[in-house]
Amino acid sequence: MQETLRGFADRLLGRGDAAITVPVMDGVLKPNRALEEAAVVATLEGLDDLAWDGSTLWASAGPLLCRIDRADGHRALPVQRFEREITALAVQPFCGASRSAVALGGTQLRMLSLEGAAPPPEGNALTLEAVAGQPLRSVNALAFDAMGRLLITDGSAEHDAGQWCHDLMSHGATGRLCLWDPPARQAEELARNLRHARGALASSDGSLLVSESWRHRVLRVPYPTAPGATARGGVLGPTARGGAPRVTQVGELPGYPSRMAPAADGGFWLSCFICRTQLVEFVLREHACRKRMLREIDPRYWIAPALSSGGSFLEPLQGAGVKQMGRLKPWAPPRSYGLVLRIDRQGQVLSSLHSPAGGKHHGITAIADTGDALYAVSKGSGRLLRIPLTGAGAAA
């Protein structure tokens, strides 16, 4: 009842979730060109996800699983081709690449052994297609925890993995965070009713982090300590069944958070695959206009974020994002953007890397910290970027 009254008051006064304001990129979020000017080490069609096992960098590109040979000019070596697109990838850290997991088409998880590694004890093709009686529909991120269990974000129960824009513009709130224990052949939900879960990470303090994209935040979810001690009430429930509250670790972000990767010196890196604009925030709150747009207009030309832009004159104008005298104004609100955030253990943003409006390295969907460098996938351009973390030219 209290939430209903608060929602009504917000809509009446234009505040809270009803506000169309967007956090200002200033301070540590001040735009730069670190991503735009990063070294392009590989170009792959369908490039989407990365995984680092402590010695080898792995990448997914469409149906291909590739090993990135860092010693040979970052050559992408195909390891295995699957029958469907890989929508998420994870490799168990520091185990000789002996165990990996892929999500195929967003609907099936498959455990497998990688080249040169012994098969996992439970077999080389263990699969998962449903959790808690509900089929997987939109698996978009995977991560192993320290016990070898697999964290899964299923972005939506209504839209496929590639239809994230449909989920955003239809106010999707059917995402979930799941946990799969392959040796025990058990899987369970840890949180449900998330507004597009799109990234997960096992924190060093024993809790779990999950990106809730459409609410522009990263949640801290308690780890299940006993069978049944999971969060069943959705994000509005104040606590999990075990009694520990779920809290916002990072909130009020200027972009929509996506996959995460542990930072070599503590904390984590967070990719924001698209950024917020006041125009999109306005359309999301004008329900009659939004619903008519979804019904009548080609999705390519919706007033909505995109992984890349500038390729067609038919794209919707984004407010001030218009070229004048052949130049794009530096304050132009972007239809697509490239953004990576460095977050400390307390959830504070330490630094940021950008590819601003008018750039090419937009749609950052995955990152990997190898200690000496940060690798980032620009899905909008199909490029793998390398940003040095040590020596001359290191990222701040």
Side-chain angles (χ1 to χ4, degrees):
M1 183 64 178
Q2 185 177 5
E3 290 294 333
T4 302
L5 292 175
R6 181 182 295 114
F8 175 78
D10 285 349
R11 289 191 295 273
L12 180 64
L13 301 174
R15 66 187 185 190
D17 288 340
I20 66 169
T21 55
V22 175
V24 176
M25 287 195 187
D26 203 354
V28 293
L29 289 170
K30 186 175 181 179
N32 54 55
R33 298 181 61 84
L35 289 175
E36 184 62 23
E37 297 173 355
V40 178
V41 297
T43 302
L44 293 168
E45 183 178 356
L47 186 63
D48 179 62
D49 204 356
L50 290 176
W52 169 251
D53 64 13
S55 60
T56 304
L57 185 65
W58 303 87
S60 66
L64 283 178
L65 175 62
C66 300
R67 178 169 59 86
I68 306 299
D69 190 345
R70 300 201 303 156
D72 187 17
H74 294 87
R75 194 156 55 99
L77 305 174
V79 173
Q80 191 166 347
R81 176 183 287 272
F82 296 91
E83 65 278 10
R84 289 184 288 170
E85 179 185 4
I86 300 172
T87 59
L89 167 68
V91 177
Q92 189 169 12
F94 311 111
C95 291
S98 62
R99 184 194 297 261
S100 68
V102 294
L104 301 179
T107 61
Q108 183 191 74
L109 299 186
R110 189 176 299 179
M111 299 289 297
L112 62 148
S113 61
L114 296 175
E115 183 181 25
E122 63 276 2
N124 196 35
L126 189 65
T127 62
L128 179 72
E129 296 182 349
V131 178
Q134 179 180 330
L136 298 171
R137 176 70 184 269
S138 183
V139 176
N140 50 39
L142 302 171
F144 281 102
D145 69 5
M147 301 173 64
R149 298 178 295 184
L150 192 65
L151 297 169
I152 307 159
T153 53
D154 191 7
S156 171
E158 300 170 341
H159 299 96
D160 296 338
Q163 294 182 310
W164 57 265
C165 192
H166 295 70
D167 196 57
L168 169 63
M169 302 311 292
S170 60
H171 289 196
T174 57
R176 56 180 176 162
L177 173 67
C178 305
L179 181 68
W180 182 28
D181 189 346
R185 298 181 182 271
Q186 293 180 348
E188 60 181 327
E189 287 183 348
L190 302 183
R192 61 170 60 165
N193 299 334
L194 299 171
R195 293 192 59 189
H196 203 78
R198 200 179 172 88
L201 184 68
S203 178
S204 57
D205 66 359
S207 61
L208 305 176
L209 301 176
V210 57
S211 296
E212 191 179 12
S213 293
W214 307 157
R215 297 198 70 176
H216 330 112
R217 65 182 184 177
V218 176
L219 284 174
R220 180 178 294 275
V221 178
Y223 225 112
T225 56
T230 58
R232 300 289 184 185
V235 296
L236 296 180
T239 63
R241 187 170 298 179
R246 284 176 289 166
V247 299
T248 300
Q249 178 74 0
V250 189
E252 292 297 324
L253 292 168
Y256 298 90
S258 182
R259 296 173 180 134
M260 295 171 277
D265 57 351
F268 63 96
W269 296 93
L270 174 66
S271 62
C272 292
F273 70 118
I274 48 179
C275 274
R276 302 164 64 187
T277 66
Q278 284 186 306
L279 181 57
V280 172
E281 297 288 326
F282 176 75
V283 171
L284 285 170
R285 287 154 180 79
E286 290 295 319
H287 302 305
C289 171
R290 175 179 57 83
K291 291 176 181 178
R292 185 177 177 185
M293 180 181 73
L294 298 184
R295 287 195 308 267
E296 301 178 9
I297 297 179
D298 187 317
R300 292 175 296 174
Y301 309 128
W302 285 351
I303 300 175
L307 296 177
S308 63
S309 59
S312 170
F313 70 92
L314 294 174
E315 292 178 4
L317 300 178
Q318 296 294 294
V322 182
K323 286 187 178 181
Q324 294 187 4
M325 305 294 291
R327 298 180 65 87
L328 186 70
K329 291 181 286 187
W331 59 86
R335 186 169 189 236
S336 63
Y337 200 87
L339 180 62
V340 174
L341 306 179
R342 173 74 165 83
I343 314 291
D344 68 11
R345 292 184 177 90
Q346 287 72 44
Q348 299 296 315
V349 180
L350 297 178
S351 60
S352 58
L353 311 174
H354 299 247
S355 176
K360 296 297 183 183
H361 296 162
H362 293 177
I364 306 298
T365 57
I367 59 272
D369 186 342
T370 62
D372 62 333
L374 179 73
Y375 290 86
V377 167
S378 168
K379 188 170 184 177
S381 63
R383 295 173 175 176
L384 178 61
L385 313 175
R386 183 182 186 276
I387 302 96
L389 297 178
T390 60

